[in-house]
């Protein structure tokens, strides 16, 4: 089977319903029993074979009734409406784990746990993320919204900065821990607030994380 090499580099905001820290980041179990999450990425540089993906945005909503590794997940992918048909196919291939070493990226891992995949939606995606400032905003009209912001100190209200470093991870090397809120109304319904969020600079390819030299 011919595998088309791809690479994506950009900024991510993700928000799930776990408490700050998220047990899943450390090989643990979701603290609410099940998991629901929203993800968005602004692709600064990217390609799939000869197809340029730079400047496009993607997003997704996920839900699992129990721990992610137990499967039975539900998901929907959102792809930037500006993408051509070739770019759309390339992005959906990547997002569903295609042209990727087994379990090498977060896309491949999550795809292996999804039982119900809704039809992808090609829509305007408003997304911006400042990783270092832990500020981000996603809006997909009629479907989903997500906001990320710094965690506030409970005593004096000052912003709290904490990081997670995963040298053997499949999504990021370093994530900025933040607070988030998300709401999705179609085709999946989820809602949570004041819960774990992460900002990260993603650099992924067909083989996994592209490690910093």
């Amino acid at each position: 089977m011919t595998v088309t090499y791809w690479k994506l580099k950009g900024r991510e905001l993700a928000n799930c319903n776990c408490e700050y820290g998220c047990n899943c980041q450390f090989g643990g179990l979701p603290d609410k029993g099940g998991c629901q999450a929203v993800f968005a990425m602004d692709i600064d540089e990217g390609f799939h074979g000869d197809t340029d993906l730079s400047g496009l945005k993607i997003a997704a909503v996920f839900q699992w009734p129990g721990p992610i590794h137990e499967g039975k997940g539900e998901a929907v992918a959102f792809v930037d409406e500006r993408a051509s048909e070739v770019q759309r196919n390339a992005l959906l291939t990547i997002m569903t784990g295609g042209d990727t070493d087994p379990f090498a990226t977060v896309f491949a891992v999550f795809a292996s746990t999804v039982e119900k995949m809704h039809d992808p939606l090609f829509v305007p995606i408003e997304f911006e993320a400042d990783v270092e400032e832990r500020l981000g905003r996603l809006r997909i009209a009629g479907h989903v919204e997500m906001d990320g912001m710094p965690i506030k100190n409970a005593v004096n209200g000052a912003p709290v900065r904490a990081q997670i470093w995963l040298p053997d991870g499949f999504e990021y090397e370093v994530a900025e821990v933040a607070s988030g809120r998300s709401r999705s109304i179609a085709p999946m319904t989820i809602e949570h607030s004041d819960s774990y969020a992460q900002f990260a600079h993603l650099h992924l390819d067909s083989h996994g994380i592209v490690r910093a030299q």
Side-chain angles (χ1 to χ4, degrees):
M1 181 181 295
T2 301
V3 175
T4 301
Y5 180 71
W6 61 267
K7 183 183 289 188
L8 298 181
K9 188 175 184 179
R11 288 155 290 118
E12 169 206 50
L13 167 59
N15 172 222
C16 71
N17 58 319
C18 279
E19 300 297 325
Y20 301 144
C22 180
N23 294 338
C24 301
Q25 305 300 314
F26 308 98
L29 301 176
D31 56 52
K32 302 296 189 301
C35 178
Q36 57 184 38
V38 177
F39 158 89
M41 180 179 182
D42 194 346
I43 303 169
D44 297 318
E45 303 172 26
F47 62 84
H48 178 268
D50 295 328
T51 302
D52 184 19
L53 303 174
S54 304
L56 297 174
K57 304 175 193 292
I58 55 175
V61 176
F62 298 95
Q63 189 167 30
W64 295 268
I68 294 173
H69 68 273
E70 293 183 357
K72 300 179 182 178
E74 180 181 0
V76 58
F78 300 92
V79 175
D80 199 323
E81 70 166 0
R82 299 173 298 159
S84 67
E85 184 175 357
V86 173
Q87 290 173 319
R88 293 177 180 186
N89 291 334
L91 287 168
L92 288 173
T93 295
I94 294 169
M95 294 175 75
T96 55
D99 290 335
T100 302
D101 293 346
F103 306 109
T105 69
V106 62
F107 301 122
V109 170
F110 280 11
S112 72
T113 68
V114 171
E115 191 174 89
K116 181 178 180 180
M117 190 73 186
H118 294 272
D119 291 337
L121 295 170
F122 306 105
V123 291
I125 299 177
E126 298 179 31
F127 177 59
E128 53 189 22
D130 186 320
V131 175
E132 285 69 30
E133 294 297 325
R134 288 97 70 211
L135 290 171
R137 180 180 185 273
L138 170 71
R139 294 292 185 273
I140 302 176
H143 296 285
V144 61
E145 57 187 42
M146 170 175 59
D147 294 284
M149 67 286 296
I151 297 170
K152 295 297 181 67
N153 183 292
V155 176
N156 59 18
V160 174
R161 187 174 189 184
Q163 296 179 328
I164 299 175
W165 178 50
L166 294 180
D168 299 318
F170 50 69
E171 182 174 3
Y172 58 80
E173 283 194 288
V174 178
E176 296 281 351
V177 180
S179 177
R181 56 175 174 257
S182 296
R183 178 173 177 263
S184 173
I185 58 175
M188 296 170 58
T189 302
I190 69 170
E191 187 167 4
H192 50 259
S193 60
D194 300 320
S195 58
Y196 175 80
Q198 68 187 36
F199 288 87
H201 293 285
L202 300 189
H203 196 182
L204 302 168
D205 71 3
S206 293
H207 309 301
I209 291 179
V210 180
R211 305 290 173 181
Q213 301 298 318

